[in-house]
Amino acid sequence: MVVCHLFLQHLTSSLLAVAFLSSFGSSMLYGYNLAVVNSPAEYIKDFYNQTIVRRNGSGVDEETLTLIYSVTVSIFAIGGLVGSLTVGMQVTRFGRRGTLVHSTVLVFIAGGLMGFSRLCGSPEMIIIGRFIIGIHSGISLSVVPMYLGEIAPKNFRGFLGLVPSIFICIGVFIAQILGLHEILGKEEHWPLFLSLVVVPTFIQLLLLPWFPESPRYLLMEKRNIHATITALKWYRAKCNIQAEVEEMQEEQRSLSSIETVSVLQLFRDPSVRWQIVTVLVVNGHVSFMRYVSVACVVGIIAGFCIGPAGVPFLMTGELFKQSHRPSAYIVGGFVNWISNFTVGFVFPFLQMSAGAFCYLVFCGVCVGVAAYVFFITPETKNKTFVEISQMFASRNACEVENQPLGTTDQLRLKNMNGYGALVPGDVEKTDRTEK
C-alpha cells in the first residue's frame, strides 16, 4: 500500500498526460497503419483494376495487380526508413516535443490523399499517402520514446518507455476491429478507413503544445536553465529538483566541448562500440496442432508486446548521452525499418520453400539476441544517464580516477568522448567562490 502510494505520488498527472497524448497521436498510428490495409485489400485491388481499365481500356492479370498492391503495403516501410534518417536533424532543431508537433502535418497530408483517392480516381494518391504516413511513423517511432525517456525520472523510465509499445498494439487492435464488415469493412468505407489517422493526430496537435519541452534538451542544447526548471516543475511532484538539475549539469559539463555527433561519427567513436552493438542486436499434419499453432501465435504477440515491442527504443535512449542520442536513434530506426521491409518481402518466399519450418529462422535469431542481452548487456534500472555511461566506459577500458569531489576540485569528464570516465590529469582546479 505504501509502495503504491509512493508510486502515484511521484508519477505526476503531467507525466501521464504527455505519455498517453504523444503515444495516442503518434505511436498508435504506426500500429494502425501496419494493419489497416489488410481487411480492404480486395476492395483496393478492385479499385486499382477499375482505374487501369478506365485509363487503358483493359485490365491487368492477377499477378501484376498483387504486385501493385504489395508496393502499396511495403511503401509504408520505405517511408519509415526515410523518416528515421531525419530524426537527428529534427530533434536537434525543433526539440523532442517540437518534432512531434511539426510532423503532424505529414499525417494530415497523407490522410487527405488516401481519403480522396477514390473520388479522384487515383491509385497513386494511396501509394503516396502510405509513403508519407510511413515518414511520420519513422519519425515518431524514435522521437516518442526519446521524449518520454528524457522527461521521466530514472525510476519511471521503464514504465513510461513502454507506453508507446502499448499504444502500437492498441493501434493494430483498433484497425482489426474497425476493419470488420459490420463497421468500416464495406467497400464504400475503405477511403474513410484509411484516412481516420487524422483524428488522433488532430487531438495531439491541440493539446501537446501546451506541455513543456524536454528539460534535458532545454538545458544541454538550448542552455536555458530557467526553462529547464519550469519544465521540471511541470513534470515532477512537489519535491526538491536540485539533485536532478545537478545531474544534468554534470552531464552537460562532460559534453561542454562536444557537439551533437553524426551517425558516421557515432560509428567512429570507440567509446560507444558496446552501445551500438546492443542497439543493432536488440531492434501441420496432426489435427490438434492447429490449436497449438493458434496458441503459439497468441504467445508470440503477447511476448512481443511485453518486451521487444518497446524495450529496444527505450534502451536506445538510456544507453547514449545527449550528444550521441539522436544519431543512435537514427541507427536503431534504420535497422528496424530495414528489417521490417526485408521480412515483409522475404517471408512469403521463405514460407513457400520451408513451410512451417520457416519460423525456426526467427527462433534462432531470438535465441541469439536473448543470449547477448543476458550475458553482455548491463542492467540500467534506476540509474542516471551518467551512471549508465560510466558502466559502458568501464567496459571500454576507461579508468576512473579515485578522487572525491570536493568544494575546490571539480572533476571534468574526459573530452575525448561523451562517455569517458574520469582520467588522471583531467582534473580542473576551480576557485572556491566560482559559481
Side-chain angles (χ1 to χ4, degrees):
M1 193 73 177
V2 176
V3 174
C4 182
H5 174 72
L6 292 174
F7 182 87
L8 295 176
Q9 183 180 11
H10 290 88
L11 188 61
T12 63
S13 58
S14 297
L15 276 175
L16 281 176
V18 169
F20 283 101
L21 188 59
S22 59
S23 300
F24 173 73
S26 295
S27 302
M28 189 176 71
L29 302 189
Y30 169 66
Y32 184 85
N33 284 289
L34 284 177
V36 72
V37 291
N38 293 336
S39 57
E42 294 303 319
Y43 301 142
I44 295 175
K45 288 182 181 179
D46 289 341
F47 168 66
Y48 285 176
N49 193 43
Q50 293 170 11
T51 304
I52 294 173
V53 170
R54 187 173 66 253
R55 291 178 180 178
N56 303 326
S58 61
V60 295
D61 55 46
E62 186 64 27
E63 185 177 347
T64 304
L65 201 58
T66 302
L67 177 61
I68 299 174
Y69 177 75
S70 298
V71 172
T72 304
V73 175
S74 60
I75 199 71
F76 175 71
I78 300 299
L81 176 61
V82 173
S84 68
L85 295 177
T86 68
V87 167
M89 174 189 66
Q90 294 199 57
V91 297
T92 301
R93 181 176 180 181
F94 302 117
R96 283 58 169 154
R97 184 208 59 184
T99 299
L100 292 177
V101 172
H102 283 84
S103 64
T104 55
V105 66
L106 297 173
V107 180
F108 294 118
I109 295 174
L113 288 171
M114 293 185 292
F116 290 103
S117 59
R118 187 173 63 179
L119 185 64
C120 298
S122 175
E124 295 85 0
M125 292 175 65
I126 301 178
I127 297 175
I128 295 173
R130 289 278 296 173
F131 176 75
I132 294 175
I133 199 69
I135 295 176
H136 174 268
S137 294
I139 295 171
S140 62
L141 202 61
S142 294
V143 177
V144 172
M146 185 190 305
Y147 182 34
L148 298 182
E150 290 186 2
I151 68 174
K154 63 181 181 180
N155 53 325
F156 286 118
R157 279 203 306 267
F159 173 76
L160 292 183
L162 290 178
V163 172
S165 65
I166 295 173
F167 272 87
I168 291 173
C169 299
I170 292 175
V172 174
F173 177 75
I174 291 176
Q176 299 286 0
I177 296 299
L178 293 181
L180 295 176
H181 188 267
E182 293 77 7
I183 306 179
L184 294 178
K186 298 178 181 179
E187 183 175 5
E188 61 268 22
H189 292 153
W190 67 260
L192 174 63
F193 189 27
L194 296 181
S195 61
L196 275 182
V197 290
V198 301
V199 176
T201 302
F202 179 71
I203 296 174
Q204 184 193 69
L205 182 61
L206 286 179
L207 300 179
L208 189 60
W210 295 96
F211 290 88
E213 181 56 82
S214 160
R216 306 186 76 86
Y217 171 79
L218 292 172
L219 179 63
M220 298 183 193
E221 299 187 33
K222 292 300 182 180
R223 313 285 180 173
N224 191 334
I225 184 64
H226 298 292
T228 302
I229 294 175
T230 301
L232 284 173
K233 289 181 178 179
W234 262 79
Y235 293 130
R236 301 292 181 266
K238 294 182 179 179
C239 60
N240 183 16
I241 62 174
Q242 183 63 32
E244 192 164 354
V245 174
E246 290 177 353
E247 183 266 324
M248 286 191 288
Q249 288 178 328
E250 179 184 354
E251 184 176 349
Q252 183 186 25
R253 287 193 297 269
S254 72
L255 303 174
S256 59
S257 63
I258 303 175
E259 297 180 353
T260 302
V261 301
S262 65
V263 175
L264 184 59
Q265 291 171 323
L266 181 71
F267 278 97
R268 287 177 175 175
D269 191 343
S271 66
V272 297
R273 60 179 179 266
W274 282 110
Q275 292 97 313
I276 294 175
V277 173
T278 300
V279 170
L280 295 179
V281 171
V282 169
N283 298 285
H285 297 287
V286 183
S287 59
F288 72 88
M289 285 303 294
R290 69 185 66 179
Y291 303 106
V292 176
S293 299
V294 172
C296 289
V297 169
V298 173
I300 289 173
I301 296 174
F304 176 76
C305 293
I306 291 172
V311 172
F313 284 95
L314 170 64
M315 290 184 65
T316 303
E318 290 185 331
L319 298 182
F320 293 86
K321 278 193 175 180
Q322 197 78 11
S323 60
H324 295 66
R325 194 170 295 133
S327 293
Y329 270 101
I330 291 177
V331 174
F334 178 83
V335 173
N336 174 76
W337 287 103
I338 282 290
S339 302
N340 193 330
F341 180 80
T342 302
V343 171
F345 263 82
V346 172
F347 182 77
F349 302 99
L350 186 64
Q351 189 178 31
M352 285 190 296
S353 61
F357 293 101
C358 65
Y359 291 100
L360 293 178
V361 176
F362 302 98
C363 178
V365 172
C366 290
V367 170
V369 171
Y372 179 87
V373 171
F374 183 80
F375 291 106
I376 303 297
T377 306
E379 181 57 68
T380 59
K381 181 179 179 181
N382 291 334
K383 290 182 172 62
T384 66
F385 289 111
V386 172
E387 292 170 341
I388 295 171
S389 300
Q390 290 175 344
M391 281 196 306
F392 278 100
S394 63
R395 287 174 176 264
N396 294 330
C398 295
E399 299 293 335
V400 180
E401 183 178 18
N402 186 19
Q403 182 170 348
L405 182 63
T407 57
T408 60
D409 293 334
Q410 184 181 32
L411 299 181
R412 178 171 59 86
L413 294 180
K414 186 180 179 184
N415 288 334
M416 289 297 293
N417 58 69
Y419 304 81
L422 302 168
V423 297
D426 266 349
V427 180
E428 290 185 343
K429 302 293 184 178
T430 58
D431 187 80
R432 185 184 301 272
T433 59
E434 182 178 347
K435 299 295 183 182

